[in-house]
Amino acid sequence: MWNLYYLLSFVFGLVTGSFLNACLWRTRENLSIVRGRSICPHCRHQLAWFDNIPLFSFFILLRGKCRYCRAPISWQYPLVELATGLLFLLVAGRYQGNDIFITPEMVRDWLIICFLIFIFVYDLKHQEILDHATLFPAIIFYLFFISMRWESWDNLLLAAVVGGGFFFVQYFISQGKWIGGGDIRLGIFMGVLLGWPKIVLALALAYVVGALASVFL
């Protein structure tokens, strides 16, 4: 039974990752994410359903190329699908042993993963952090966490102020040369997700990891 539980969690993550890829491209192209069939970003030909099977279509059916124009498909698509699937699987493993298969905590963590992957990939490709990927979910999660009594309202508010304020000070001192406004909104989002004092540890770890990565870059 648990093997099926893990398999379904992984597959659900793959499908969600495919949807995130669509959201990333359609957001950039100013297209609706709920209307219209999937199309090739190169030739704009409408794709068949079997061209959208996570991982399988890219590696087996299409071999990394569009069926119609033969243009190469970005590796972003299978990587995002795989990453989402594995992260969903890790969350499922974390809550394994509960009396019910899907808990509110699992749904919370899966949603957090979706927003963070969207923010990461969109920022990596376009050097931009969107308002509706940070401020809007920050408000929703803030209200959700309070209603579920996972955190107190003042704890989350303090963490959001610290997270956003940390980046705002850098933005103000450098007049926007060091970081952008999106980092301030991301700091607020981080504060809501982590609470106090975890936001302080997260910011410290982020800068240490960033410094180590910059050595190789």
Side-chain angles (χ1 to χ4, degrees), residues 2-217:
W2 286 112
N3 289 334
L4 178 61
Y5 166 76
Y6 290 131
L7 176 61
L8 291 177
S9 298
F10 179 66
V11 171
F12 181 56
L14 292 179
V15 174
T16 303
S18 180
F19 175 71
L20 286 176
N21 277 320
C23 290
L24 286 160
W25 183 76
R26 286 173 176 263
T27 297
R28 190 63 181 179
E29 296 290 320
N30 293 317
L31 298 174
S32 171
I33 63 173
V34 295
R35 291 182 297 181
R37 295 282 300 276
S38 297
I39 60 175
C40 171
H42 301 285
C43 65
R44 305 287 171 143
H45 194 288
Q46 183 173 295
L47 303 180
W49 66 268
F50 45 79
D51 291 329
N52 287 316
I53 303 175
L55 297 184
F56 182 80
S57 294
F58 181 88
F59 290 106
I60 305 301
L61 295 183
L62 303 177
R63 305 291 180 88
K65 294 182 179 181
C66 172
R67 181 186 304 276
Y68 308 98
C69 67
R70 308 307 298 168
I73 302 172
S74 172
W75 275 87
Q76 168 199 317
Y77 292 91
L79 290 178
V80 168
E81 292 168 354
L82 181 60
T84 310
L86 292 175
L87 289 172
F88 273 39
L89 181 61
L90 286 175
V91 169
R94 178 184 180 188
Y95 297 107
Q96 183 265 339
N98 288 286
D99 294 333
I100 56 177
F101 285 142
I102 298 180
T103 66
E105 290 81 4
M106 286 179 62
V107 176
R108 173 199 65 194
D109 291 355
W110 282 346
L111 287 174
I112 290 173
I113 286 170
C114 290
F115 280 108
L116 293 182
I117 287 179
F118 182 94
I119 293 170
F120 171 76
V121 177
Y122 198 91
D123 187 30
L124 182 67
K125 292 188 66 176
H126 309 296
Q127 287 76 56
E128 185 179 1
I129 300 177
L130 303 176
D131 289 350
H132 64 257
T134 49
L135 290 183
F136 175 72
I139 295 173
I140 298 300
F141 280 115
Y142 180 83
L143 297 175
F144 184 51
F145 288 3
I146 293 175
S147 65
M148 296 296 293
R149 297 184 178 180
W150 287 329
E151 288 288 353
S152 62
W153 68 269
D154 51 340
N155 179 287
L156 295 183
L157 184 60
L158 173 62
V161 171
V162 171
F166 176 76
F167 292 108
F168 174 77
V169 170
Q170 299 176 66
Y171 182 87
F172 180 79
I173 294 175
S174 67
Q175 296 183 340
K177 296 179 180 179
W178 295 348
I179 60 173
D183 296 288
I184 301 174
R185 298 187 292 272
L186 180 60
I188 295 174
F189 188 34
M190 288 174 60
V192 171
L193 296 181
L194 296 170
W196 176 268
K198 294 178 183 177
I199 180 62
V200 178
L201 176 61
L203 292 173
L205 288 175
Y207 269 70
V208 171
V209 173
L212 293 175
S214 68
V215 172
F216 296 97
L217 295 175

